[in-house]
Amino acid sequence: MSKKFNGILLNIRVRSEPIRVLVTGAAGQIAYSLLYSIAKGDVFGKDQPLVLILLDITPMMAVLDGVVMELQDCALPLLREVIATDKEDVAFKNLDVAILVGSMPRKEGMERKDLLKANVKIFKSQGSALDKYAKKTVKVIVVGNPANTNCLTASKSAPSIPKENFSCLTRLDHNRAKSQIALKVGVRADDVKNCIIWGNHSSTQYPDVSHAKVKVQGNEIGVYKAVKDDNWLKGDFIATVQQRGAAVIKARKLSSAMSAAKAICDHVRDIWFGTPEGEFVSMGVISDGNSYGIPEDLIYSFPVVIKNRSWKFVEGLPINDFSREKMDLTTKELMEEKETAVEYLSSA
C-alpha cells in the first residue's frame, strides 16, 4: 500500500496474517529436508508469515524437539511460531494447509494389503481430525504411501471438506520424467514442459511425454522429435521413472528425501500461486468419471492447470492405444486398492 508523509509518497509493505501449515511425520527425513524451505518462504512467498505445526508419534517427540530447536536457530523472519505435538486436536486446529507426509512404511515381508490396512487407520483418523478441527478451505496434500489411496481415505473421512481440496503427490515422478528427458536431449530441466504422470504413485504409474515439449535452440518441439529414440521413450524411460525410488533406496540405503521435499514444495507452491500460462503439471486428484475414461471416485494422477487455488483437468488430449493400455493398467491397481481400503475403512 502507499501513503503520503510530508508530501512524499511512501510504499509501506503490509504483512499478511500468518497461515497455519501442518507437516505430519515431522521427525522423519523428508520433513527434515522440507521444513526449512517452507519456513524461509520458498513455498508460500517471501511476504507470507506462517505458523508451522509439526505432528509425529509419541516415541518421536524427543527427535521433534531437536527439529524445533534447529528451526528456531535458523532465525527465519517469516516463522512466527513452531508447535510440536503428538495430539491431533492440537495439530489440525484452524489449518490452512496440511501436508501429510507421515505414514506406515512397508516393512520386509509385509504384503500390500497389510500396508493398506495399517494406513487406513492412520488416514481415517487424520481425515476425521481435518473434518473436526481444520478450516473448510484447508488444502490437503498427501505424501505418505500408498499416497493415492491414503488421500482417498482421508477425503472420505472428512465429508465436510470439498473433495477437490485433497491431492496427492505425483510431482516427484513428474520431475523425474522432466529430468530424464532433459538429460537425454542435453537441455535444462526447465526447458521441458507438459510431461504427464497418469494413475498411481507406484510402479504401475505411466509417465507420458507424448504431449510434452522441449525447448531446443529457442524453439519448442515435441519430445519424440527431440529425442529421436522411440524405443527408449516407450521402454527404458518409462521403467526408469517407475523404478527411480527403488533405485535411490538401493544406492543410498534410504528413500529419496531431498527430491521428495523439492517436489512437495513445487506441488504446494503451484496450488498456492497457480501454474504458468501454457503449462500443466501432474497431481493426484479426485476423478469425476468424465475425464479420459477413468472411473469416478479414484484419486488418480492427471494433468491439471491451477488458478485461484483451484485445479482443473487438462481436457481433450488425444490418447493413443499405447497410452490407453498403460493408463488402464494403473487404473486397475487403484481400483483394487480402493476396494481393499473401503473394506478396511468400514470395519475400522
Side-chain angles (χ1 to χ4, degrees):
M1 83 183 256
S2 299
K3 191 174 182 180
K4 277 194 173 181
F5 180 74
N6 288 343
I8 300 169
L9 192 65
L10 304 175
N11 287 320
I12 301 169
R13 179 175 288 177
V14 180
R15 285 205 182 274
S16 311
E17 282 296 305
I19 58 171
R20 294 175 66 85
V21 179
L22 167 68
V23 176
T24 72
Q29 59 157 351
I30 291 176
Y32 192 77
S33 294
L34 172 67
L35 290 168
Y36 175 70
S37 293
I38 294 175
K40 78 183 180 77
D42 288 353
V43 177
F44 299 104
K46 302 298 183 184
D47 296 320
Q48 178 59 66
L50 46 86
V51 174
L52 267 180
I53 302 103
L54 312 182
L55 176 68
D56 216 310
I57 57 175
T58 306
M60 298 303 293
M61 290 307 292
V63 176
L64 204 52
D65 286 342
V67 175
V68 173
M69 288 183 223
E70 286 212 73
L71 283 166
Q72 291 169 340
D73 293 348
C74 287
L76 296 163
L78 295 174
L79 189 56
R80 296 300 170 82
E81 188 179 2
V82 184
I83 299 166
T85 184
D86 57 358
K87 295 178 175 58
E88 289 182 345
D89 59 340
V90 174
F92 288 87
K93 189 176 181 183
N94 294 330
L95 288 182
D96 295 284
V97 178
I99 305 172
L100 308 184
V101 178
S103 65
M104 170 71 77
R106 192 168 186 170
K107 297 173 183 174
E108 194 173 345
M110 183 184 274
E111 292 185 22
R112 195 168 180 86
K113 65 178 183 179
D114 299 323
L115 183 67
L116 281 165
K117 187 173 185 178
N119 279 296
V120 160
K121 191 179 292 186
I122 294 168
F123 285 87
K124 179 181 181 182
S125 179
Q126 293 187 352
S128 298
L130 283 163
D131 200 57
K132 190 172 182 180
Y133 301 112
K135 294 177 181 176
K136 301 310 174 191
T137 54
V138 65
K139 300 297 184 184
V140 183
I141 298 90
V142 176
V143 179
N145 286 317
N148 298 59
T149 303
N150 287 344
C151 186
L152 187 67
T153 299
S155 172
K156 285 186 176 298
S157 304
S160 70
I161 296 170
K163 290 179 180 178
E164 292 74 22
N165 288 22
F166 288 80
S167 60
C168 82
L169 188 77
T170 56
R171 186 60 169 267
L172 177 52
D173 312 302
H174 180 101
N175 287 351
R176 286 165 171 165
K178 282 182 63 170
S179 174
Q180 289 300 309
I181 297 298
L183 289 167
K184 186 75 170 177
V185 179
V187 297
R188 301 176 310 177
D190 62 357
D191 289 326
V192 182
K193 70 177 188 181
N194 296 349
C195 298
I196 301 169
I197 303 297
W198 297 102
N200 202 1
H201 175 62
S202 75
S203 59
T204 69
Q205 65 176 255
Y206 170 43
D208 177 10
V209 292
S210 55
H211 309 288
K213 302 286 185 185
V214 186
K215 189 182 286 184
V216 180
Q217 297 176 343
N219 297 314
E220 277 192 358
I221 60 175
V223 163
Y224 273 79
K225 186 177 179 182
V227 170
K228 301 185 182 71
D229 188 344
D230 290 13
N231 287 335
W232 179 79
L233 285 169
K234 291 184 174 182
D236 287 349
F237 162 72
I238 291 173
T240 297
V241 176
Q242 288 175 335
Q243 302 294 335
R244 190 67 162 187
V248 170
I249 290 171
K250 185 177 179 183
R252 214 172 81 86
K253 314 305 177 200
L254 291 165
S255 65
S256 32
M258 177 170 48
S259 53
K262 163 62 166 55
I264 295 165
C265 290
D266 291 345
H267 179 118
V268 180
R269 187 171 54 247
D270 281 348
I271 289 175
W272 213 248
F273 293 108
T275 46
E277 192 68 33
E279 292 190 31
F280 50 76
V281 294
S282 305
M283 191 177 284
V285 294
I286 193 73
S287 57
D288 61 4
N290 298 315
S291 298
Y292 298 104
I294 307 306
E296 188 178 5
D297 201 35
L298 290 177
I299 297 288
Y300 190 97
S301 184
F302 289 93
V304 299
V305 291
I306 305 164
K307 189 175 181 181
N308 299 326
R309 299 183 189 169
S310 295
W311 56 264
K312 288 183 178 177
F313 296 120
V314 177
E315 299 283 11
L317 298 173
I319 304 297
N320 60 31
D321 290 344
F322 179 83
S323 293
R324 175 50 60 195
E325 185 180 338
K326 299 287 187 187
M327 290 164 68
D328 287 348
L329 183 68
T330 194
T331 300
K332 182 174 181 288
E333 182 182 60
L334 273 173
M335 289 179 72
E336 289 169 357
E337 280 190 16
K338 176 188 172 182
E339 191 177 320
T340 305
V342 168
E343 181 186 324
Y344 289 141
L345 195 56
S346 61
S347 62

